[in-house]
Amino acid sequence: AGIGLGAFAVVQLRDNPKAQQAVDEIYEAAKDFGAAVADGYREREEELNKPAKRPTTPKKWMKTAEIKRRWLEFFEKKNHTVVPSASLVSQDPTLMFTVAGMVPFIPYMTGLLPAPYERATSVQKCVRTLDIEEVGKTTRHGTFFQMNGNFSFGDYFKKEAISFAWELLTNSVEDGGYGFDKDKLWVTVYKDDEESIQYWLEQTDIPKERIQKRGMADNYWSTGQRGPAGPCSEIYFDRGPAYGIEGGPEADEDRYIEIWNLVFMQYERADGGTKDHFEILGELPKKNIDTGMGLERVAFLLQGVENIYEIDQVKPLIDLVSQLSNKEYGANEQDDVRMRVIADHIRSSLMLMSDGVTPSNEGRGYVLRRLLRRSVRALRLLGIDK
Ligand code: GLY
């Protein structure tokens, strides 16, 4: 697995549109390195393919690479240009990292550059370290993640964005979709956005009772600084009563997991303010669509595992740490958190290094150093000191 991940990093160095495909292939090959890890992985795959025991586990197990492939194919068929992932080192001098799928497209939204296409789709590698302390403790916080996105630059708007999302999520697996159970999906909209509610009701099977209105803190998206902003509509999956209280995303965001955010980018926001109150400077030149679907989140739901660290692309690292430390994953919550932290941080570190970041005392290099230090600390606490 280690050799594979090294190769994984090296391939990412090449500025080649086929790199992402090569990464998937190398990742597959990496499973064959180290018999113990590979055996563990195969057992896991067999286990996951068994019929569901839990109410929310899926009927079919879908690999992360397959979820990604289906995404790109779906939007390519809807006339979107497939754009390879940009570097984690953001081209935008005001952002340290690529924190969302929309970052490489900001100049097209603000009108700084003419968009070379009206519709685009990508699976963007992202790094966000704001919630680093939550990593390993929750189901869904990762410092590295991949964001599936579809974008419109002055072309389609709310109506089509809502219809595309519903189609891809609920189409059967045989028809190229993800096969989510319609009855388990919930939607939130910005409190004043009656138009979106109408589109949800007219174009999908979502009943009114499963649409919730929320305020700026939850349903108005931006990168947190001056730039494109807009009200959003989020789609959630209900994992069932075993995971929390009834009442939709408004009541419990652990039971109801956000999987896809549709942002209606039509305003420019100012710097400053708070999460639930910031100044809107005016309208963008055109109305744009920016969506973000968390690839690892969808993978954990479609693979019937408990969190983003147990999916096919991350679990081999936990297995390796378990083997090295001689500690069973699942036996002790504190050790499990450490194993998940290591899996997450090593993955982020490799991805950062493959995009040219080196450890240092400031900026991006400091973030990398912190991720590595936290990994080493967690390894030591697990008794691995070599
Ligand atoms: N840009 C949409 C999101 O990150 O959720």
Side-chain angles (χ1 to χ4, degrees):
I3 298 167
L5 283 164
F8 182 51
V10 169
V11 166
Q12 284 287 324
L13 273 174
R14 296 194 198 136
D15 185 16
N16 175 344
K18 295 235 188 270
Q20 204 61 42
Q21 192 189 340
V23 166
D24 289 338
E25 283 167 14
I26 291 210
Y27 197 89
E28 289 303 305
K31 285 186 304 194
D32 293 325
F33 286 105
V37 177
D39 283 350
Y41 184 89
R42 275 191 286 274
E43 274 167 30
R44 184 78 188 157
E45 194 162 358
E46 274 165 29
E47 188 191 315
L48 290 167
N49 274 322
K50 280 185 198 153
K53 276 191 233 107
R54 307 183 73 99
T56 55
T57 42
K59 292 166 211 77
K60 286 196 177 136
W61 187 73
M62 200 182 286
K63 281 189 176 188
T64 307
E66 174 62 12
I67 298 170
K68 172 178 158 182
R69 195 194 62 73
R70 279 173 189 249
W71 175 277
L72 295 175
E73 185 179 84
F74 178 86
F75 283 105
E76 196 172 22
K77 282 192 184 146
K78 306 275 186 205
N79 301 320
H80 291 62
T81 300
V82 175
V83 180
S85 175
S87 169
L88 283 169
V89 176
S90 162
Q91 295 297 303
D92 183 330
T94 67
L95 282 169
M96 195 175 327
F97 296 117
T98 301
V99 291
M102 55 78 80
V103 169
F105 303 112
I106 291 175
Y108 310 147
M109 294 182 186
T110 57
L112 187 69
L113 293 175
Y117 22 65
E118 288 184 324
R119 300 176 176 203
T121 185
S122 65
V123 177
Q124 174 64 50
K125 43 189 176 170
C126 301
V127 161
R128 276 188 205 173
T129 53
L130 205 62
D131 294 321
I132 196 166
E133 299 295 339
E134 298 301 318
V135 170
K137 298 176 192 156
T138 70
T139 51
R140 58 184 199 279
H141 285 97
T143 56
F144 172 82
F145 58 93
Q146 298 158 87
M147 188 172 275
N148 295 6
N150 59 291
F151 306 91
S152 151
F153 309 109
D155 187 34
Y156 64 84
F157 201 46
K158 294 182 183 181
K159 184 168 190 259
E160 292 83 353
I162 288 172
S163 155
F164 289 159
W166 188 256
E167 187 182 337
L168 179 54
L169 286 177
T170 63
N171 265 5
S172 69
V173 172
E174 292 71 26
D175 282 341
Y178 295 135
F180 275 101
D181 184 346
K182 291 177 182 179
D183 296 337
K184 294 195 174 135
L185 296 177
W186 284 66
V187 162
T188 63
V189 296
Y190 182 58
K191 59 183 173 43
D192 299 333
D193 189 1
E194 295 297 332
E195 195 188 0
S196 291
I197 296 184
Q198 263 332 97
Y199 289 135
W200 279 113
L201 293 174
E202 278 165 25
Q203 302 187 112
T204 77
D205 306 309
I206 279 269
K208 223 177 165 159
E209 308 75 68
R210 292 213 307 273
I211 304 178
Q212 295 186 320
K213 289 185 181 181
R214 300 183 88 180
M216 209 162 188
D218 296 296
N219 278 66
Y220 209 102
W221 201 87
S222 71
T223 59
Q225 59 185 40
R226 184 171 181 166
C232 60
S233 183
E234 298 182 325
I235 306 164
Y236 288 75
F237 178 79
D238 178 6
R239 296 202 292 158
Y243 294 93
I245 56 168
E246 301 279 335
E250 183 70 354
D252 186 335
E253 288 206 32
D254 282 322
R255 167 170 170 174
Y256 301 88
I257 296 279
E258 182 207 327
I259 50 178
W260 197 342
N261 186 10
L262 316 179
V263 188
F264 311 126
M265 286 293 194
Q266 59 193 112
Y267 301 108
E268 187 183 5
R269 63 158 285 178
D271 279 326
T274 57
K275 209 169 180 286
D276 57 3
H277 184 75
F278 45 82
E279 189 191 349
I280 299 296
L281 297 171
E283 296 203 4
L284 293 171
K286 291 176 180 168
K287 290 181 175 172
N288 310 288
I289 287 294
D290 152 33
T291 89
M293 186 182 89
L295 181 54
E296 287 79 4
R297 288 187 184 194
V298 169
F300 106 67
L301 295 172
L302 292 183
Q303 293 178 10
V305 291
E306 295 297 317
N307 52 58
I308 59 168
Y309 320 99
E310 293 174 16
I311 66 168
D312 59 339
Q313 289 191 346
V314 187
K315 184 66 175 18
L317 277 168
I318 290 186
D319 292 340
L320 190 58
V321 177
S322 157
Q323 191 196 352
L324 291 173
S325 62
N326 227 351
K327 289 187 196 287
E328 198 189 330
Y329 180 69
N332 173 300
E333 178 60 14
Q334 205 176 29
D335 286 344
D336 289 353
V337 170
R338 289 171 185 148
M339 290 187 204
R340 295 195 285 258
V341 164
I342 296 162
D344 171 86
H345 288 10
I346 291 294
R347 194 163 174 248
S348 314
S349 302
L350 276 166
M351 296 308 290
L352 286 170
M353 287 188 269
S354 70
D355 276 340
V357 180
T358 50
S360 77
N361 287 345
E362 54 182 20
R364 296 183 185 98
Y366 179 69
V367 174
L368 173 59
R369 198 170 85 164
R370 185 156 179 236
L371 287 164
L372 290 171
R373 277 184 164 174
R374 284 171 54 95
S375 309
V376 171
R377 178 173 180 272
L379 282 163
R380 289 218 173 113
L381 289 169
L382 285 169
I384 306 170
D385 54 10
K386 290 203 185 99

